């Protein structure tokens, strides 16, 4: 099976209702700098270059990588897009 | 001056040429799980809800917040978009 390079962009963020301590820390620091900031939410982006046999295989791999390693299924939501690198 | 709520989405990532230790750690862990991953880059997203007097003022504030707190001007690039929250 021939492999080709693919690129995925994955965004992982806390599910609604979870407190975001990093965002809250940033908010407090911005308020101390006199900005009128009401809320800060954070998310993590991963850009992955990897090998797969087809776009379907690539999406399946990314789904697995998100579930196994890149997100915490209990508290995180993730979205991703995948494209072939020509 | 009347203030209105705005929302900014800011993405902060390392400038090209900087090594991304967090991405490299994720890459190694994915390779151990038998994924053929060549490169992982990471970025941080902030979603900010804040008050400003106009869209120009809102963009100016976000630019300042990025420079003063959310990014490290030496090693980070950032991009953002701002919209009024109706």
């Amino acid at each position: 099976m021939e492999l080709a390079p693919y690129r995925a962009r994955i965004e992982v963020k806390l599910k609604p209702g979870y407190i975001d301590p990093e965002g809250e820390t940033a908010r407090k620091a911005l308020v101390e700098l006199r900005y009128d900031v009401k809320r800060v939410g954070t998310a993590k982006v991963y850009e992955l270059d990897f090998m797969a046999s087809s776009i379907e295989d690539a999406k399946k791999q990314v789904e697995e990588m998100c579930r196994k390693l890149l997100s915490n299924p209990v508290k995180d939501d993730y979205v991703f897009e995948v494209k072939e690198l020509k």
Side-chain angles (χ1 to χ4, degrees), chain A:
Chain A
M1 193 155 51
E2 196 139 344
L3 295 177
Y6 288 82
R7 177 167 292 170
R9 186 193 146 87
I10 302 160
E11 189 169 323
V12 181
K13 66 173 178 181
L14 289 165
K15 287 182 201 271
Y18 276 79
I19 287 166
D20 184 335
E22 190 178 354
E24 183 54 16
T25 302
R27 191 190 68 78
K28 284 179 183 159
L30 290 167
V31 168
E32 279 178 23
L33 293 172
R34 312 253 170 206
Y35 296 101
D36 190 359
V37 181
K38 304 300 189 190
R39 189 189 67 85
V40 179
T42 64
K44 188 90 205 169
V45 174
Y46 296 94
E47 192 182 79
L48 260 72
D49 292 349
F50 64 108
M51 305 301 288
S53 62
S54 66
I55 185 73
E56 292 74 24
D57 175 45
K59 288 178 181 172
K60 184 172 156 286
Q61 285 192 44
V62 172
E63 189 75 48
E64 287 175 6
M65 291 189 269
C66 287
R67 278 190 283 109
K68 288 184 186 171
L69 189 84
L70 300 175
S71 80
N72 177 337
V74 174
K75 64 178 182 62
D76 294 329
D77 280 335
Y78 58 85
V79 290
F80 64 82
E81 45 196 45
V82 181
K83 64 178 178 188
E84 190 171 355
L85 285 177
K86 307 276 181 178

